[in-house]
Amino acid sequence: MLGLKLSTDPRWAIIAESNLEEILTDHAWCEQKAASNAISLIAYNSEHQELVHELTIIAIEEMQHFQMVIDIIHKRGYTLGRERKDDYVNQLMKFAKKDGSRNMAFIDRLLFAAMIEARSCERFRVLSQHINDKELAKFYYDLMVSEANHYTTFLNFARRYSVDVDVDKRWKEWLTFEGKLIQHYGKTQTVHG
Ligand SMILES: [Fe+2]
Ligand SMILES: [Fe+2]
């Protein structure tokens, strides 16, 4: 359903579970960044009423996810560490087109968001299926469902607001690029690492 070209090796879940404080810290900041991204999309595209409405809901949901993650961190006696660099997301950002028309940059920004939601959703599914911690397995299952909805929302907005971009063609380019990029990851205790 997500169209991803490469599935995550389940052994990544074992690596992630070997240091829960680390993966939860990274995960918390992923949620914060998702909220920030939704807010900046609202700020730059305020003329689109439905987008403003839906992305406000998403920004709130992402901060609720952030809150859920930090609650787990604190309940377990862990400490929320400093924000981790997300090299995977930075590489995706470089792929996003910024020099074409305003509409092109806008559509690519939506596809960038859809791409991160798709991979995050897949990573949460892998965690929900392969970690031994029952509470976290259930938690990641619930988040997987939520991020799948966000993925659909961003992709649908890209289709709706495109003026001169062939969204299906461009989305295929995103999937191909991401499929190659993700081959370099899957070895660390971060959501996209
Ligand atoms: Fe989220
Ligand atoms: Fe999300």
Side-chain angles (χ1 to χ4, degrees), residues 3-5 7 16 20-22 26 28 35 51 53 93-94 105 107 125 131 136 161 167 169 176 184 187 190:
L4 295 172
K5 298 284 186 199
S7 301
L20 288 177
E21 188 171 30
E22 185 63 30
D26 179 70
L51 177 130
H53 177 77
M93 186 48 111
K94 283 186 197 159
I107 298 307
R125 183 180 60 76
I131 58 176
L136 286 181
Y161 293 124
V167 172
K169 178 167 170 278
T176 300
H184 302 290
K187 300 171 189 75
T190 59

Side-chain angles (χ1 to χ4, degrees), residues 31 34 58 62 65 117 146-147 150:
E31 300 293 357
I58 287 184
E62 302 294 20
H65 295 169
E117 295 288 355
S146 176
E147 310 305 358
H150 296 169

Side-chain angles (χ1 to χ4, degrees), residues 43-160:
Y44 284 103
N45 303 284
S46 54
E47 70 273 30
H48 299 303
Q49 192 176 334
E50 199 171 342
L51 177 130
V52 170
H53 177 77
E54 289 294 325
L55 294 198
T56 299
I57 294 171
I58 287 184
I60 292 167
E61 281 179 4
E62 302 294 20
M63 283 316 286
Q64 285 169 339
H65 295 169
F66 177 79
Q67 187 176 35
M68 287 186 240
V69 179
I70 59 166
D71 283 350
I72 291 171
I73 287 172
H74 294 153
K75 194 175 80 180
R76 293 180 176 218
Y78 300 149
T79 304
L80 174 66
R82 301 293 294 262
E83 184 184 352
R84 277 26 177 178
K85 267 206 348 233
D86 195 329
D87 186 56
Y88 165 82
V89 168
N90 291 340
Q91 295 301 320
L92 289 181
M93 186 48 111
K94 283 186 197 159
F95 183 70
K97 286 188 179 163
K98 299 158 199 88
D99 48 357
S101 66
R102 181 168 186 264
N103 185 247
M104 176 79 237
F106 172 40
I107 298 307
D108 240 29
R109 192 70 200 277
L110 291 167
L111 295 180
F112 162 79
M115 194 73 257
I116 299 168
E117 295 288 355
R119 180 58 69 183
S120 304
C121 176
E122 193 260 357
R123 286 287 172 101
F124 291 163
R125 183 180 60 76
V126 171
L127 286 175
S128 74
Q129 290 177 343
H130 296 283
I131 58 176
N132 296 309
D133 189 305
K134 293 273 178 293
E135 183 196 18
L136 286 181
K138 166 81 172 71
F139 177 62
Y140 280 111
Y141 180 84
D142 293 342
L143 285 191
M144 170 191 80
V145 174
S146 176
E147 310 305 358
N149 288 330
H150 296 169
Y151 152 80
T152 306
T153 301
F154 283 115
L155 199 52
N156 285 344
F157 276 140
R159 293 199 172 105
R160 170 152 351 146

